[in-house]
Amino acid sequence: MKKQLLAVACLGLSFVGNAQNTATLQADSGKVTINKHIYGHFAEHLGTCIYGGFYVGENNTKIPNKDGVRLDIVDALKKLKIPNLRWPGGCFADTYHWKDGIGPKAQRPAMVNTWWGGVTEDNSFGTHDFLNMCELLGTEPYISGNVGSGTVQELKDWTQYINLAAGTSPMSKLREQNGREKPWNVAIWGVGNEAWGCGGNMTADYYANIYRQYATFMAGADKKGLFRVASGASDADYKWTETLMKNIPHQMLEGVAIHHYSVLSWGEGKKTSATEYTDKEYFKTMQQALLMDELVTKHSEVMDKYDPKKKVALVVDEWGGWYNVENGTNPGFLFQQNTMRDAMIAGATLNIFNNHADRVRMANLAQVVNVLQAVILTKEEKMLLTPTYHVMEMYNVHQDATLLPIKVKTNTFEFEGEKLPAVSVSASKDAKGLTHISLTNVDPKNPQEITIDLKGAKYVSVAGRILTAEKLRDYNTFDNPNKIQPKAFSGATIAGNQLKVKLPAFSVAVLELK
Ligand code: AHR
């Protein structure tokens, strides 16, 4: 209970029983840009994210593809405007040797994917496949280097292979031999992943030293320079962040990661069902999701101590709901369905990130296709967009917009004596001068009405879209893929300088004000 009150206080919200929800928007006080990279995604060599997910093979005649990459997925991700895609892991990254994934596919060596299901990885999807796919998607690649079982030389070579101009090094020559003349100029690199766990079980001090060594030899992207992300803390391990911020010179550090999943227990089969969760499990999952506010607040405070000018970004490069796998699927593949609970996690989490945009400048939902809180699920030729997809799509209006301060007083969503804030909100103004407000009501039973005082601008009209469903546990299926999708929203009205919004229970709305 104590922990919850703390989490709630850190959300910067106060509670007013069952009174009206209220908020004040300062439309003329925006100073911070919501970095589009907050809306990033993650593709690991895990289960059917890549193989059988977006990569169906060059010889596939049933599913339209370009170089083996499904075109329906490309189309859907383009609509989402995904700003970056993290690859090849995750835990897999620290087992991955990139040279195994270049050159003629038939000659590539195989390996065992030891973290995820013990399956054979034939390396048919490698560096060229990934980077060409990013070009097709119009997204920036975010590559996680192998620190746990690789070498400094190996990561140095990889950065040179990808980033150096043609003819300038043995690595760029090798790239040319493999059919690519121009460098890809990849700026965003992770220096290992979860170094405290699957990335090598290192101590923070040891990793900070190793980071310095690896970061020294990485080759920059033309003009852009490198954006190097240190493998960060799990959840509330503030000591880890402190050690990195203290011991790594900031001129060789652009981002520090953290990972936080909305999970109730880590034991296999001991999480909640993705679709048949109890009311209590719903509450507890939301408690975990909303804890993100406390986590980014406190990690930011630690960073502020060493970097008051906020040069180093906080990068939440793994977040999302983690449940039991679907019955009959490989436990190592982490395939789970996606209900309105996931839409609630996405809406509330993205509001948190937006409102912390001064320090949180990048994030990656885990994961993009068929794994954990995926935005897309596939079954052979069929593909569906999950409720999480729709939230990410509705919220993409905030990408690179100016964050507008908004103070909220919200009712609580209560369960067995514990409380969570019901409504979360964030707002921004885009380059065209349009104001967008995103609102999430995580209360599964009660609609919430909110009155927002609009200060510093005169608005005359409001329009928007809403995502909700008949039941909280509803989800899209391959037979009924459009059961849940955004609809036009008529529950918002402007009168003078007041905006009134009627949010149904478990709903996400994004409004546009003119
Ligand atoms: O996203 C699944 C796994 O979760 C990643 O591989 C790892 O980094 C984390 O523990």
Side-chain angles (χ1 to χ4, degrees):
M1 179 66 177
K2 210 166 160 198
K3 197 169 159 204
Q4 273 323 297
L5 288 176
L6 184 67
V8 160
C10 288
L11 281 164
L13 308 168
S14 53
F15 300 133
V16 284
N18 286 323
Q20 261 272 3
N21 302 285
T22 58
T24 306
L25 175 79
Q26 301 290 349
D28 55 356
S29 311
K31 288 194 190 77
V32 173
T33 300
I34 298 173
N35 198 312
K36 66 175 179 183
H37 287 296
I38 283 177
Y39 291 80
H41 288 265
F42 174 28
E44 180 164 10
H45 287 240
L46 194 178
T48 54
C49 181
I50 294 175
Y51 303 110
F54 57 71
Y55 181 70
V56 290
E58 290 79 351
N59 302 325
N60 192 308
T61 49
K62 276 203 193 141
I63 303 173
N65 67 83
K66 166 122 184 41
D67 301 329
V69 175
R70 284 180 82 129
L71 289 173
D72 51 358
I73 291 188
V74 170
D75 207 38
L77 293 180
K78 274 183 159 175
K79 288 195 186 115
L80 213 49
K81 298 197 177 128
I82 70 165
N84 71 73
L85 186 59
R86 181 172 183 246
W87 174 86
C91 294
F92 179 79
D94 283 290
T95 65
Y96 183 62
H97 300 285
W98 69 272
K99 283 183 184 155
D100 294 347
I102 56 171
K105 295 201 174 186
Q107 287 164 30
R108 295 184 190 175
M111 67 182 279
V112 176
N113 191 334
T114 44
W115 288 114
W116 306 119
V119 293
T120 301
E121 160 68 58
D122 69 1
N123 278 305
S124 55
F125 190 87
T127 300
H128 290 248
D129 309 274
F130 173 67
L131 294 175
N132 293 343
M133 181 180 84
C134 287
E135 286 183 342
L136 196 62
L137 292 169
T139 195
E140 225 177 302
Y142 168 13
I143 296 185
S144 298
N146 178 350
V147 168
S149 72
T151 63
V152 178
Q153 179 75 44
E154 192 180 355
L155 186 56
K156 175 184 171 223
D157 284 351
W158 205 7
T159 57
Q160 292 197 353
Y161 185 88
I162 287 172
N163 283 344
L164 294 193
T168 59
S169 80
M171 282 302 121
S172 52
K173 284 190 187 138
L174 182 59
R175 180 187 72 228
E176 287 173 73
Q177 278 164 27
N178 287 326
R180 171 80 184 200
E181 195 207 339
K182 274 195 316 181
W184 285 282
N185 281 325
V186 172
I188 313 171
W189 291 81
V191 181
N193 168 74
E194 296 193 350
W196 43 265
C198 66
N201 284 305
M202 301 174 195
T203 64
D205 284 306
Y206 182 77
Y207 173 70
N209 281 332
I210 290 270
Y211 176 95
R212 293 161 65 128
Q213 189 187 1
Y214 274 77
T216 304
F217 297 99
M218 294 166 70
D222 205 22
K223 295 192 195 96
K224 288 194 225 160
L226 285 175
F227 188 92
R228 289 158 294 191
V229 182
S231 156
S234 171
D235 307 291
D237 186 355
Y238 305 113
K239 190 87 185 47
W240 182 278
T241 300
E242 173 132 31
T243 306
L244 302 194
M245 290 303 290
K246 194 157 77 182
N247 296 337
I248 301 173
H250 293 182
Q251 77 274 11
M252 53 167 48
L253 179 67
E254 285 72 37
V256 168
I258 62 162
H259 290 176
H260 172 62
Y261 285 99
S262 301
V263 61
L264 301 193
S265 158
W266 282 111
E268 196 173 302
K270 293 199 176 134
K271 304 176 185 77
T272 80
S273 154
T275 52
E276 286 161 26
Y277 42 89
T278 62
D279 288 352
K280 185 174 185 153
E281 287 169 337
Y282 173 73
F283 182 87
K284 293 279 167 197
T285 308
M286 293 322 301
Q287 209 168 40
Q288 282 301 310
L290 294 174
L291 186 63
M292 184 66 88
D293 196 274
E294 177 178 320
L295 296 175
V296 296
T297 301
K298 291 192 170 171
H299 281 286
S300 298
E301 278 165 16
V302 172
M303 294 174 81
D304 285 349
K305 215 165 114 187
Y306 298 92
D307 174 32
K309 294 203 171 133
K310 301 184 191 292
K311 185 228 152 219
V312 181
L314 183 58
V315 176
V316 190
D317 55 13
E318 289 185 29
W319 67 273
W322 191 322
Y323 318 123
N324 289 332
V325 299
E326 294 306 318
N327 286 338
T329 65
N330 186 329
F333 281 14
L334 311 186
F335 179 82
Q336 64 190 39
Q337 247 299 354
N338 198 291
T339 68
M340 282 303 295
R341 172 172 64 171
D342 297 274
M344 297 299 102
I345 296 177
T349 305
L350 293 171
N351 281 336
I352 293 168
F353 292 160
N354 287 346
N355 288 325
H356 285 275
D358 59 338
R359 182 65 86 175
V360 179
R361 299 201 285 270
M362 191 162 134
N364 300 79
L365 174 66
Q367 298 193 5
V368 69
V369 178
N370 291 340
V371 170
L372 298 176
Q373 194 178 335
V375 291
I376 291 173
L377 300 178
T378 63
K379 188 179 175 197
E380 287 143 20
E381 298 94 297
K382 294 186 179 172
M383 182 199 92
L384 66 80
L385 308 176
T386 65
T388 303
Y389 174 97
H390 294 303
V391 175
M392 298 288 286
E393 186 273 322
M394 289 162 73
Y395 272 57
N396 71 20
V397 290
H398 291 303
Q399 290 189 17
D400 282 341
T402 303
L403 176 71
L404 299 179
I406 187 156
K407 268 218 168 98
V408 182
K409 282 185 184 169
T410 169
N411 291 330
T412 51
F413 155 35
E414 300 186 13
F415 190 85
E416 292 178 352
E418 290 193 281
K419 295 176 178 180
L420 287 173
V423 179
S424 78
V425 188
S426 66
S428 69
K429 189 172 175 177
D430 71 10
K432 292 189 212 137
L434 295 172
T435 294
H436 293 105
I437 305 182
S438 47
L439 307 101
T440 297
N441 174 19
V442 299
D443 190 323
K445 300 213 166 100
N446 302 304
Q448 300 288 342
E449 188 168 329
I450 180 163
T451 304
I452 305 180
D453 262 336
L454 304 166
K455 297 228 154 102
K458 178 94 196 95
Y459 296 105
V460 290
S461 72
V462 58
R465 287 189 297 158
I466 188 151
L467 190 80
T468 189
E470 212 178 296
K471 295 192 215 99
L472 177 69
R473 291 161 184 83
D474 279 352
Y475 54 92
N476 290 335
T477 62
F478 293 104
D479 294 330
N480 190 1
N482 296 320
K483 181 172 184 163
I484 301 172
Q485 56 182 332
K487 303 213 163 58
F489 181 51
S490 56
T493 47
I494 289 186
N497 66 344
Q498 282 204 334
L499 170 68
K500 276 198 194 301
V501 190
K502 289 182 178 163
L503 291 170
F506 63 90
S507 65
V508 178
V510 177
L511 309 175
E512 185 171 289
L513 279 69
K514 286 188 198 154

